[in-house]
Amino acid sequence: MIKHRIGIIGGTGLYNIEGFTGQKWVKVKTPFGAPSDDFLTGKLGGRDVVFLARHGRGHRILPSELNHRANIWAMKKLGVQWILSVSAVGSLQEKYKPCDIVVVDQFLDRTKQSLNHTFFGRGIVAHVAFAQPICEELRKILLQTARACGATAHDGGTYVNMEGPAFSTRAESLTNHRAGYDVIGMTNLGEAKCAREAEIAYATLAMSTDYDCWKEEEHVTLEMIIANLHRNAGMGKKVVAAAVSKIPAEPNWPCHSALKTAIMTDKKFWPKKTVTQLKPIIGKYL
C-alpha cells in the first residue's frame, strides 16, 4: 500500500486525464460489499493517485445504489488521504449558469440513506463533527485552481442531495430555489459523510449541467445534461490535474483526525468482528 495517495471520484472520462501515468487497475474487496468498480492507480502531477468511476465504467449504477461505504473504505485501504470529487449538479439559482462550477461548502440531506452513510454501528458508536462537511483547506485549493484554469467558479454553496433517479418535480425544485439553496445532485453527501469518518479530506467540484426545473423557461432534458456533461469533463480534468500538485505531502488538516474525540464506545466493549472490519478506519485508535 502506498501511503498518502490522492483519490479522485468522478465520471468515467476522468481517467483519460493527460499526464496520468503508470496506470494499474486494482480490485479491492471490502467488508461492506463491492465498490462501484476497480480502482485505477497511477501518478498525476508527481503525486500518487487513485481514480474511481463513481457509477462504474459504462455508468451502470444508480445514485441510490452507490455503495459509499465500500468506495471510501477501499480508498482508505489504498492509502488515500484526500478525495477530489467531480460531480454533475443542477443549478438552483440564476447566477450558476450551465457549465459553471460551484465549489460547495454545505450539504442538505434529502435522502433516506443514513445507515448506509456511516461505518459505525454493530457495537461501536461514533458521532463525527459535520457542521463543516467539506474540508475547507482542500476546498480552497480547488476554488483557486479552478479560477486559475479559466473556469467560472463560485465560492461556496449548499448542495441539496436528493435520491433520484428521477429529477425533481417542479414543486420540489421551486422549494429548493426559494429556500436559497444553490445546487442539487444525487451522490456527494454519502461520500462526504463516509470520508469524514474515514479521516479523509473531501471536497467537491459541483459542475452545473442545467437549471433543474424551477426555471420555467428552461426544460431539463437528458440530452441537454449529457451535452453539458461532455463540456464540463474537459474543465474537470484540467482542474484536477492542476490541483493535485498543490495538496500538501502530509495529511495534517483537522479532517485527518476527525475520529479523535468522536468514538463514544469504551474500547473494552468493541466487538472483535467490527474492529476487524473497521481496521483501515480506526486502526490508529486501537
Side-chain angles (χ1 to χ4, degrees), residues 142-162:
L142 286 182
L143 176 66
Q144 292 162 5
T145 305
R147 288 177 171 174
C149 288
T152 301
H154 302 268
D155 185 2
T158 296
Y159 176 124
V160 179
N161 201 130
M162 64 181 291

Side-chain angles (χ1 to χ4, degrees), residues 6-10 14 44 49-52 54 75 80-87 138-139 141-142 188 191 200-205 236 239-245 247 253:
I6 297 168
I8 303 163
I9 303 179
L14 284 179
L44 181 64
V49 299
V50 179
F51 171 76
L52 176 67
R54 179 181 283 115
M75 284 274 188
V80 168
Q81 301 287 355
W82 307 266
I83 291 177
L84 309 180
S85 163
V86 182
S87 187
L138 189 55
R139 195 186 75 82
I141 289 173
L142 286 182
N188 279 204
E191 289 176 359
I200 297 173
Y202 179 93
T204 291
L205 288 172
V239 175
V240 167
V244 291
S245 62
I247 295 171
W253 293 335

Side-chain angles (χ1 to χ4, degrees), residues 178-232:
R178 290 167 180 164
Y181 304 134
D182 298 283
V183 297
I184 187 163
M186 302 178 186
T187 62
N188 279 204
L189 176 72
E191 289 176 359
K193 282 189 172 181
C194 290
R196 181 61 53 85
E197 289 187 350
E199 299 187 323
I200 297 173
Y202 179 93
T204 291
L205 288 172
M207 309 196 73
S208 174
T209 59
D210 60 272
Y211 276 116
D212 206 47
C213 62
W214 63 270
K215 202 169 186 227
E216 193 167 6
E217 62 271 27
E218 296 280 346
H219 296 287
V220 182
T221 67
L222 188 58
E223 290 76 16
M224 175 197 304
I225 291 171
I226 290 173
N228 286 335
L229 277 171
H230 289 305
R231 290 174 61 193
N232 285 340

Side-chain angles (χ1 to χ4, degrees), residues 50-275:
V50 179
F51 171 76
L52 176 67
R54 179 181 283 115
H55 298 276
R57 283 169 284 180
H59 207 104
R60 310 180 315 272
I61 305 170
L62 284 172
S64 56
E65 293 177 320
L66 289 173
N67 190 340
H68 296 299
R69 291 186 295 184
N71 290 344
I72 302 301
W73 189 98
M75 284 274 188
K76 186 72 172 182
K77 182 73 172 176
L78 291 170
V80 168
Q81 301 287 355
W82 307 266
I83 291 177
L84 309 180
S85 163
V86 182
S87 187
V89 296
S91 168
L92 293 170
Q93 303 300 331
E94 183 79 41
K95 62 183 177 180
Y96 308 126
K97 296 177 174 60
C99 297
D100 281 8
I101 297 174
V102 184
V103 191
V104 300
D105 58 359
Q106 284 293 330
F107 287 104
L108 185 75
D109 190 355
R110 289 265 169 84
T111 76
K112 306 176 184 71
Q113 299 269 342
S114 295
L115 286 177
N116 295 321
H117 294 167
T118 180
F119 292 109
F120 292 96
R122 303 174 315 286
I124 303 180
V125 173
H127 302 285
V128 294
F130 206 58
Q132 304 299 329
I134 293 287
C135 173
E136 184 61 15
E137 294 86 353
L138 189 55
R139 195 186 75 82
K140 286 179 178 176
I141 289 173
L142 286 182
L143 176 66
Q144 292 162 5
T145 305
R147 288 177 171 174
C149 288
T152 301
H154 302 268
D155 185 2
T158 296
Y159 176 124
V160 179
N161 201 130
M162 64 181 291
E163 280 199 22
F167 297 127
S168 302
T169 67
R170 184 160 165 73
E172 290 167 339
S173 191
L174 282 168
T175 297
N176 289 323
H177 166 69
R178 290 167 180 164
Y181 304 134
D182 298 283
V183 297
I184 187 163
M186 302 178 186
T187 62
N188 279 204
L189 176 72
E191 289 176 359
K193 282 189 172 181
C194 290
R196 181 61 53 85
E197 289 187 350
E199 299 187 323
I200 297 173
Y202 179 93
T204 291
L205 288 172
M207 309 196 73
S208 174
T209 59
D210 60 272
Y211 276 116
D212 206 47
C213 62
W214 63 270
K215 202 169 186 227
E216 193 167 6
E217 62 271 27
E218 296 280 346
H219 296 287
V220 182
T221 67
L222 188 58
E223 290 76 16
M224 175 197 304
I225 291 171
I226 290 173
N228 286 335
L229 277 171
H230 289 305
R231 290 174 61 193
N232 285 340
M235 181 57 73
K237 289 190 283 189
K238 187 176 179 181
V239 175
V240 167
V244 291
S245 62
K246 299 177 183 179
I247 295 171
E250 295 294 323
N252 56 11
W253 293 335
C255 291
H256 295 122
S257 56
L259 289 180
K260 188 175 180 181
T261 59
I263 301 175
M264 305 291 292
T265 309
D266 191 308
K267 206 177 289 187
K268 67 186 178 186
F269 293 109
W270 290 7
K272 289 182 180 179
K273 183 177 180 181
T274 305
V275 169

